Structures are given as C-alpha cells and as structure tokens.
Amino acid sequence: MVAIVLIHMVQVFLFGAYKFPRELTWIIGVFLLLMTLGMAFSGQVLRFDQDAYWGLGIGASIASRVPIIGASIVKMMLGGPIIAGATLSRFFRAACLRDSRNADRFRLSSPLDGAEVGN
C-alpha cells in the first residue's frame, strides 16, 4: 500500500496534476499519504519482534528531533523512557481505537440493528 501510494504521488507530481485547480486534491493526497505511513508504522510495531523494536527505536529517534516538543512526543509514543510492554500496549490501544472508529464510521445498517438477538 505504501509503495503504491508513493508511486501515485510521484506520478501526480511529475505530471503536474497538483497545479490549479487541483491544489486541494493534492493536499488531501499528501494527508492520505501521511496516514498510510502512520498506519504502516503502527502495524509494524504490533508484531513486536526485532524488526519492530529497531523500527520503533528509529521512529523514536526521528520524533525526538522535533524542536521543543520532541521529548514529549517520544515519551507519549514509548510510554516511558525505554521500549517495553507499555509501548506495545499504547500502540495496540491506538490501533483498536482507530479500527473501531473506522468500523463505526463506515458501518452499513443491518436488518438486525435494533432487534433483540437470541429470540
């Protein structure tokens, strides 16, 4: 997914399809690219293996470079000073909240909505 979105964004940039009157479409596309990158990163962390550990270490290192609020971002992301069980709990909780919000937002109505189950 990340590769496809990046290829598409490069194509749009090279063809100049981000110019007037499509500026808003470009901004939305960049936002969706950032969301895709964030979801890929959080999905990688949920495996909690060596690849996830070192990827999270690099992500925390990048986040720590943000001026003024970098240390707060790292503490919020890791759940403490080191990568541990609290880190996995935070990413799992964030993934569950994200997925449940998306499921509620895009849920189709069912004939069983409002009906009692088990009768």
Side-chain angles (χ1 to χ4, degrees), residues 35-74:
M35 293 295 293
T36 303
L37 291 172
M39 289 175 62
F41 181 73
S42 66
Q44 175 195 10
V45 171
L46 289 179
R47 292 182 300 163
F48 215 61
D49 57 359
Q50 282 294 312
D51 187 36
Y53 178 85
W54 292 108
L56 188 58
I58 292 169
S61 176
I62 291 170
S64 70
R65 306 275 194 277
V66 175
I68 301 170
I69 60 170
S72 300
I73 292 173
V74 171

Side-chain angles (χ1 to χ4, degrees), residues 11-118:
Q11 177 210 358
V12 169
F13 181 76
L14 291 176
F15 289 178
Y18 59 90
K19 296 177 184 172
F20 181 80
R22 298 186 187 107
E23 296 94 351
L24 183 61
T25 305
W26 174 257
I27 292 170
I28 292 171
V30 170
F31 174 74
L32 290 174
L33 171 66
L34 294 174
M35 293 295 293
T36 303
L37 291 172
M39 289 175 62
F41 181 73
S42 66
Q44 175 195 10
V45 171
L46 289 179
R47 292 182 300 163
F48 215 61
D49 57 359
Q50 282 294 312
D51 187 36
Y53 178 85
W54 292 108
L56 188 58
I58 292 169
S61 176
I62 291 170
S64 70
R65 306 275 194 277
V66 175
I68 301 170
I69 60 170
S72 300
I73 292 173
V74 171
K75 187 172 183 181
M76 180 183 71
M77 188 166 70
L78 297 182
I82 61 171
I83 300 170
T87 308
L88 179 62
S89 297
R90 283 180 184 251
F91 275 91
F92 184 74
R93 187 179 317 125
C96 289
L97 286 173
R98 179 192 68 222
D99 293 344
S100 66
R101 286 180 185 158
N102 288 338
D104 288 342
R105 187 175 300 139
F106 298 111
R107 181 175 56 103
L108 298 174
S109 62
S110 160
L112 297 178
D113 284 349
E116 293 183 25
V117 178

